[in-house]
């Protein structure tokens, strides 16, 4: 079903001398606004309504069931607009300049002072309103999404730092305490994710994923192996046999997602590979999933997977999960990881060159060194479900770093490195950050506002 949005246009007696002017045609403006919204956002179903009193709006709101509410202020009507800001969720308030401006400023001050989860737009560019309204569609997609987590141990599915064992316990007792604590902690993450985003989390063990790997079609795996090799600039460490195993793992990931009806997958890749429970790293599989408009995320990190889904639904582009390295000497943040897309502008966008490498830490398996486009602004964000928080910063992509140390792909971006260092808040957000191409700061902050998250602008 389409995302359903109610568009409330505020009206008043046109015979009163007041902004926008006496005799203003509110019905005509309502039709114009609706037409522009339908043109900009054809995948959303809009239902118009016009109210000139709080009583009228209050009665209608009691029976409403929409995915979002846009209050369009063509005049002041503070009673109606405040009613929606306080009682409807999620809600965006936009003002027709010189019509509702005075009432909008009063309302926006109220939103800011009370920290209400509502977004305000005051702009002559209608695109700014359309971008905000598009977030209702993002939120609906998140409610309908499912994340598949592949892991065997509870601590790999928390998306946070590993919990320490109780000091007094030891041996089997210690193991049991750790398992129970981590199981409870994981369930809290699952419950909080469902509560905050509406997103489901389902789990799968490595044995089942390995079963999909064993059942993968050999001929299809060969075709993917050949495609990746042919499209790469070069292959450095991995053998063809290793890349073939990666291709079978990609097919296994696809099969697992299909069975679970999942929109995203994240795997305890390091833990399972080191324990000899995975026959291949999933790096090339994640690379391919992200290139084709799906979502694959490293290290069974729930927070990062949720963040990448938010980016995908907001921008139509894949994100790049990384372990950032901050260099205050060059004012750069280096986003380093062994998985990266080579279609940062979306599945239909231009592809950048890449090299097939081994996984950096152990020099095994196959991964990607993506030579990312330069001269573009990038936006980096992270959601913390446990802390109800959101972090964001911007930077300019300036270099692909060649260094044997750390992960294979290393995108250097110039920005407020010292401020980001000071405000990184590892304990709230962990190490990972998610980077996408383009300046989406405003949309992401608006989205975090609608979710009621605490917002940290790391570079300000």
């Amino acid at each position: 079903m389409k995302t359903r949005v109610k568009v409330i246009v505020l009206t008043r007696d046109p015979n009163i001398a007041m902004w926008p002017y006496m005799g203003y045609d509110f019905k005509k403006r309502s039709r114009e606004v609706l037409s522009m919204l339908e043109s900009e956002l054809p995948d959303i179903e809009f239902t118009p309504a016009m109210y000139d009193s709080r009583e009228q709006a209050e009665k209608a709101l009691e029976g409403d069931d929409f995915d979002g509410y846009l209050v369009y202020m063509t005049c002041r009507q503070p009673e109606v607009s405040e009613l929606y800001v306080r009682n409807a969720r999620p809600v965006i308030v936009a003002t027709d300049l010189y019509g509702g401006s005075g009432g909008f400023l009063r309302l926006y001050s109220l939103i800011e002072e009370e920290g209400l989860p509502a977004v305000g737009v005051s702009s002559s560019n209608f695109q700014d309103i359309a971008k905000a309204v598009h977030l209702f569609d993002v939120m609906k997609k998140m409610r309908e999404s499912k994340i598949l987590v592949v892991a065997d141990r509870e601590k790999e599915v928390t998306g946070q730092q590993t919990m320490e064992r109780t000091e007094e316990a030891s041996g089997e007792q210690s193991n049991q305490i750790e398992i129970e604590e981590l199981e409870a902690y994981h369930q809290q993450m699952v419950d909080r994710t469902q509560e905050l985003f509406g997103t489901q989390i389902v789990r799968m063990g490595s044995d089942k994923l390995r079963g999909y790997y064993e059942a993968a079609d050999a001929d299809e795996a060969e075709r993917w192996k050949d495609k990746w090799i042919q499209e790469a600039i070069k292959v450095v460490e991995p053998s063809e046999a290793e890349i073939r195993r990666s291709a079978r793992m990609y097919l296994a990931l696809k099969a697992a997602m299909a069975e679970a009806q999942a929109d995203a997958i994240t795997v305890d890749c390091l833990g399972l590979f080191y324990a000899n429970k995975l026959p291949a790293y999933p790096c090339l599989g994640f690379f391919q999933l992200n290139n084709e408009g799906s979502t694959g995320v490293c290290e069974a990190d729930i927070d990062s997977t949720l963040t990448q889904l938010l980016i995908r639904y907001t921008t139509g582009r894949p994100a790049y999960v990384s372990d950032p390295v901050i260099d205050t000497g060059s004012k750069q943040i280096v986003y380093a990881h062994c998985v990266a897309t080579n279609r940062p502008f979306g599945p239909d966008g231009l592809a950048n060159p890449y090299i097939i490498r081994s996984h950096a830490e152990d020099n095994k398996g196959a991964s990607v060194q993506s030579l990312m486009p330069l001269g573009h602004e990038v936006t980096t964000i992270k959601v913390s479900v446990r802390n109800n928080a959101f972090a964001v910063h911007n930077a300019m992509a300036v270099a692909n770093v060649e260094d044997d140390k750390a992960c294979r792909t290393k995108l250097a971006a110039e920005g407020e490195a010292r401020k980001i260092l000071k405000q990184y808040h590892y304990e709230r957000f962990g190490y990972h950050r998610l980077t996408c191409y383009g300046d989406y700061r405003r949309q992401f902050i608006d989205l975090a506002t609608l979710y009621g998250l605490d917002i940290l602008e790391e570079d300000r």
Side-chain angles (χ1 to χ4, degrees), residues 67 90 136-148 188-202 261-263 302 306 309-310 313 383 385 388 447 450-451 453:
D67 298 307
F136 294 147
D137 192 48
V138 174
M139 298 176 80
K140 180 178 174 64
K141 284 183 169 67
M142 291 299 291
R143 290 194 298 273
E144 296 173 343
S145 289
K146 187 184 292 185
I147 294 172
L148 175 60
Q188 289 173 7
M189 286 285 290
V190 171
D191 294 344
R192 182 60 182 146
T193 298
Q194 180 79 45
E195 176 188 352
L196 186 57
F197 296 103
T199 307
Q200 294 183 59
I201 296 174
V202 294
Q261 297 182 310
D263 304 275
I302 291 175
L306 284 165
L309 272 177
L310 288 169
Y313 294 147
V383 167
V385 170
N388 200 63
L447 188 60
L450 293 174
Y451 278 120
L453 302 176

Side-chain angles (χ1 to χ4, degrees), residues 153 155 162-179 181-182:
R153 295 178 293 170
K155 61 186 172 185
T162 302
M163 296 176 65
E164 296 180 357
R165 294 183 177 184
T166 304
E167 291 182 3
E168 294 79 10
S170 62
E172 293 183 5
Q173 182 186 3
S174 173
N175 290 335
Q176 185 59 35
I177 290 173
E178 182 179 64
I179 289 170
E181 288 180 347
L182 292 168

